């Protein structure tokens, strides 16, 4: 079983409009609602790939009930979310169908009490006993300690469960110091962590800070990965246009599935890039265009570079 953690779950709502104009009134041509938050997106993609997945984190209120109701209909995903008094947040993506651009609005999430945080930690420790890998994903809701991910990384490592961390800011900085097996920042998050805008230099710096493997998401240019065994770049065969929401989460799913299947790093990266690109072509986060994925999987270029000093 692969475990994904989403401390700040969401109901993802996507609106499609012909053209997004500031201060204007818009007629929405299509609306989709999906369980959201990075870890839930990762879990749904993993399940679509045929893996057994358990999702945990916080959920509450009417929005939380909607998230859980939709998860109940997702084959291969087990709901182990922890109930809270506050209401699960909503995230709004507005897709301009003329340009393909997406505007994102993210609510902050419910305030978590100390008792709710303790209840989650008990659930997490129990779930780790049967997990083959764990992904810690996304932002922290109000009330959760800024060092939460560092604590959860250490707990996973104490249980000998490989752990991937995908967050940003101070939670990322503290989490990296706890020595996760993999971190997957985007270029902006990596620069904020290390102070370097050169991805090669920044991945090296992130490893020195504690991460065993750093996989940097470079947007349309693909992925740059580095660990003790070497450094690789993986790039899609062509630029794809669509809704990028959730593309990074699909890359995480590709990396995790490759980890539990014990694939060589070039194959893990090729899968992650193909899934990411196929997600841009899908209507909502947590989904991917399967035909596009299967077509792209064999076309991703993975090149090996000199090992880090």
């Amino acid at each position: 079983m692969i475990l994904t953690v989403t401390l700040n779950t969401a109901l993802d709502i996507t609106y499609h409009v012909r053209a997004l104009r500031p201060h204007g009134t818009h007629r929405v041509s299509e609306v989709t609602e999906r369980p959201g938050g990075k870890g839930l997106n990762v879990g749904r993609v993993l399940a679509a790939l045929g893996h057994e997945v358990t999702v945990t984190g916080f959920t509450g209120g009417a929005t939380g009930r909607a998230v859980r109701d939709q998860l109940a209909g997702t084959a291969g995903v087990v709901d182990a979310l922890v109930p809270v008094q506050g209401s699960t947040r909503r995230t709004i993506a507005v897709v301009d169908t003329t340009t393909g651009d997406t505007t994102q609005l993210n609510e902050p999430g419910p305030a978590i009490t100390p008792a709710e945080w303790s209840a989650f930690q008990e659930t997490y420790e129990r779930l780790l006993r049967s997990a083959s890998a764990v992904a810690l994903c996304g932002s922290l809701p109000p009330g959760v300690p800024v060092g939460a991910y560092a604590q959860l990384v250490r707990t996973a490592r104490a249980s000998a469960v490989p752990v991937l961390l995908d967050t940003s800011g101070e939670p990322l900085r503290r989490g990296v110091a706890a020595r996760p097996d993999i971190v997957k920042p985007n270029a902006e998050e990596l620069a904020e962590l290390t102070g370097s805008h050169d991805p090669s230099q920044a991945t090296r710096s992130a490893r020195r800070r504690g991460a065993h493997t750093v996989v940097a998401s470079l947007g349309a240019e693909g992925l740059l990965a580095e660990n003790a065994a070497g450094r690789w770049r993986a790039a899609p065969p062509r630029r794809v246009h669509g809704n990028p929401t959730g593309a990074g989460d699909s890359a995480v799913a590709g990396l995790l599935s490759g980890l539990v299947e014990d694939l060589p790093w070039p194959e893990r990266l090729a899968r992650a890039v193909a899934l990411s690109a196929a997600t841009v072509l899908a209507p909502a986060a947590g989904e991917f265009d399967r035909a596009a994925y299967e077509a792209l999987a064999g076309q991703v270029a993975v090149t090996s570079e000199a090992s880090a000093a």
Side-chain angles (χ1 to χ4, degrees), residues 6 58 65 75 88 105 183 196 222 292:
T6 314
F58 296 114
R65 287 193 295 274
T88 296
L105 303 172
V183 294
S196 174

Side-chain angles (χ1 to χ4, degrees), residues 6-201:
T6 314
L7 295 177
N8 211 2
T9 56
L11 181 66
D12 284 345
I13 303 170
T14 303
Y15 294 135
H16 291 79
V17 301
R18 184 181 297 276
L20 182 62
R21 301 180 306 278
H23 316 298
T25 299
H26 300 80
R27 185 176 297 277
V28 176
S29 60
E30 181 183 352
V31 181
T32 59
E33 288 189 0
R34 298 290 188 276
K38 295 177 73 65
L40 294 191
N41 293 337
V42 171
R44 288 164 55 214
V45 172
L46 284 167
L49 292 172
H51 289 274
E52 295 182 1
V53 183
T54 296
V55 297
T56 190
F58 296 114
T59 185
T63 309
R65 287 193 295 274
V67 168
R68 302 190 86 157
D69 287 346
Q70 293 196 34
L71 279 177
T74 305
V77 175
V78 175
D79 175 357
L81 293 165
V82 176
V84 296
Q85 289 298 311
S87 184
T88 296
R89 67 189 177 127
R90 296 162 297 179
T91 65
I92 311 296
V94 183
V95 180
D96 184 319
T97 59
T98 300
T99 65
D101 293 335
T102 301
T103 299
Q104 191 82 18
L105 303 172
N106 295 333
E107 295 179 356
I112 304 302
T113 67
E116 289 166 344
W117 173 235
S118 294
F120 167 78
Q121 291 177 79
E122 292 176 5
T123 297
Y124 178 69
E125 291 176 12
R126 173 177 56 81
L127 292 171
L128 282 175
R129 296 173 196 153
S130 55
S132 56
V134 58
L136 308 175
C137 302
S139 62
L140 301 179
V144 172
V146 71
Y149 282 135
Q151 181 177 349
L152 298 180
V153 168
R154 288 191 291 267
T155 302
R157 291 181 57 79
S159 299
V161 178
V163 57
L164 183 153
L165 177 63
D166 183 14
T167 188
S168 60
E170 185 66 11
L172 173 61
R173 188 184 71 81
R174 297 196 187 194
V176 165
R179 303 185 62 78
D181 295 271
I182 305 171
V183 294
K184 196 215 70 64
N186 61 33
E188 181 179 346
E189 293 162 349
L190 187 60
E192 182 182 3
L193 172 67
T194 64
S196 174
H197 291 274
D198 176 354
S200 294
Q201 181 177 336

Side-chain angles (χ1 to χ4, degrees), residues 221-273:
E221 296 179 16
L223 299 174
L224 171 65
E226 182 173 315
N227 57 29
R231 185 190 303 151
W232 303 268
R233 288 183 184 267
R238 59 187 178 278
R239 183 181 293 268
V240 296
H241 298 280
N243 180 5
T245 306
D249 305 333
S250 290
V252 169
L255 296 172
L256 274 178
S257 63
L259 185 156
V260 299
E261 294 172 29
D262 199 26
L263 296 180
W265 268 102
E267 292 183 34
R268 300 186 200 185
L269 296 170
R271 177 181 291 180
V273 168

